[in-house]
Amino acid sequence: GIDTHATRKLVDVYNVSSYPKGLTWADLLLVARNLAVALAALHHKGYVVGDLNESNLLVANNDLITFVDCDSMQVRDGATGQVFRCPVGKGEYPPPELQGASFGAVDRTPESDAFALAVMISQLLFLGRHPFAGGSSPRVEDNILRQDSFLLNGGQPPAGTPPASILPARLQDLFIRCFREGHGEPRRRSAADAWADALDAAHRNLRTCQRSQVPRYSGHVVDCPWCRYEQEYGFDPFTWRQQMAAATPRPVSVPVPATPAPPQAVVTFPRKPRRARTIASAVLLTAAVGLGLYIYLDQD
């Protein structure tokens, strides 16, 4: 799993610039699988997330998913049948039938959640690329309406996007069912359960890169696509942080010698020169003799 001390937003997991150390494509497959499992559990209970996007999902250090902002989920009252709608949404994630809609005026469905799920799975597995980015319009919303996706035939991927062939055929088919067949018929989109099964199978069928000795690419691929990616673009998206750290010279620590203790202050009094001492002694002796004679004469 991802080695972090706390959960992080999904956007920080699939964003290449913030990949945590040690993360591999296998981790991203597992995060995608857990996301699909969690969404399927909500759907089975009758909930629809509605505002399903990269900012209201947290990923823990064991790759498990936590939903946040749950107060906006769509809930149906089992007793009365009343639907408490989700009034918000983020433009890059609603399906074509909800583009431009007033979210508070429509009922969401598991199929609309399925579209947002497929978008986020694409972002996880294709280095953060939105499946409708890089199309004929700079606006993702326009490309959604036009079915202009690099995961469909003829779609133009953004620069630096790995090819769709990194995915096993089963996952490629789920994207096609969602973005092409489900464009006009939402019920053609595969449910979250189908995504969970396909992602789980892909995670169990990984090959180990001979260079890194880490399982990180699909078993249907002959050579490691991330090694080819590094040859083409000059960096491995999963190890570039470690490579930069290894290439950056570390500062050399020079031992600093201990500062010697200052010498203790010794107070000395200057001694008088020897000649001065002799003269002073003679003066004192003469004074004493003179005083003695004076006393003696005075007594007489």
Side-chain angles (χ1 to χ4, degrees):
I2 302 171
D3 186 15
T4 60
H5 295 293
T7 58
R8 57 178 63 204
K9 289 184 178 181
L10 186 73
V11 64
D12 295 325
V13 174
Y14 67 63
N15 190 338
V16 177
S17 63
S18 61
Y19 277 174
K21 182 179 179 181
L23 180 137
T24 69
W25 200 62
D27 288 299
L28 297 177
L29 276 170
L30 191 56
V31 171
R33 178 258 184 194
N34 290 341
L35 172 57
V37 169
L39 183 61
L42 287 172
H43 287 171
H44 291 321
K45 293 292 185 180
Y47 297 98
V48 175
V49 177
D51 185 25
L52 184 58
N53 66 69
E54 87 290 4
S55 297
N56 60 18
L57 293 163
L58 300 179
V59 182
N61 58 357
N62 58 358
D63 300 328
L64 294 181
I65 297 293
T66 298
F67 287 84
V68 296
D69 290 340
C70 299
D71 57 327
S72 65
M73 289 184 181
Q74 178 179 289
V75 180
R76 181 183 296 273
D77 188 326
T80 65
Q82 181 182 359
V83 176
F84 297 90
R85 292 169 173 158
C86 171
V88 292
K90 197 169 183 178
E92 301 94 328
Y93 293 93
E97 67 270 17
L98 292 181
Q99 287 294 325
S102 174
F103 296 126
V106 295
D107 291 348
R108 311 288 184 96
T109 65
E111 290 77 22
S112 58
D113 276 356
F115 184 92
L117 172 65
V119 169
M120 286 186 287
I121 291 173
S122 169
Q123 291 173 309
L124 282 165
L125 303 185
F126 288 96
L127 308 183
R129 304 300 195 273
H130 192 290
F132 293 90
S136 56
S137 172
R139 294 184 73 248
V140 167
E141 295 90 331
D142 294 337
N143 293 330
I144 290 175
L145 292 172
R146 298 171 182 173
Q147 292 182 277
D148 194 353
S149 170
F150 69 85
L151 290 173
L152 302 177
N153 293 337
Q156 181 63 37
T161 305
S165 59
I166 66 170
L167 298 179
R170 188 175 173 188
L171 284 176
Q172 292 186 51
D173 180 64
L174 289 178
F175 279 117
I176 291 173
R177 290 186 62 181
C178 182
F179 297 144
R180 176 181 293 152
E181 298 173 14
H183 183 82
E185 298 181 60
R187 292 186 178 276
R188 298 293 299 273
R189 298 173 194 147
S190 297
D193 284 322
W195 281 103
D197 290 343
L199 289 162
D200 188 57
H203 185 264
R204 288 186 281 103
N205 188 32
L206 290 173
R207 285 192 176 188
T208 299
C209 172
Q210 295 302 310
R211 189 186 67 169
S212 68
Q213 295 301 306
V214 174
R216 61 176 196 163
Y217 65 97
S218 178
H220 77 284
V221 180
V222 176
D223 299 316
C224 177
W226 308 116
C227 292
R228 293 201 306 271
Y229 188 95
E230 183 176 8
Q231 293 172 0
E232 185 171 355
Y233 295 104
F235 74 100
D236 183 324
F238 297 101
T239 62
W240 68 273
R241 283 184 180 274
Q242 296 91 305
Q243 292 169 348
M244 285 186 64
T248 303
R250 297 182 178 179
V252 178
S253 59
V254 179
V256 179
T259 304
Q264 294 184 352
V266 179
V267 180
T268 59
F269 296 94
R271 300 181 65 184
K272 295 180 180 179
R274 185 172 183 179
R275 176 180 174 80
R277 294 200 306 270
T278 303
I279 295 173
S281 299
V283 171
L284 290 174
L285 179 60
T286 303
V289 172
L291 179 61
L293 289 174
Y294 172 78
I295 295 171
Y296 174 75
L297 291 175
D298 185 61
Q299 291 176 350
D300 289 343

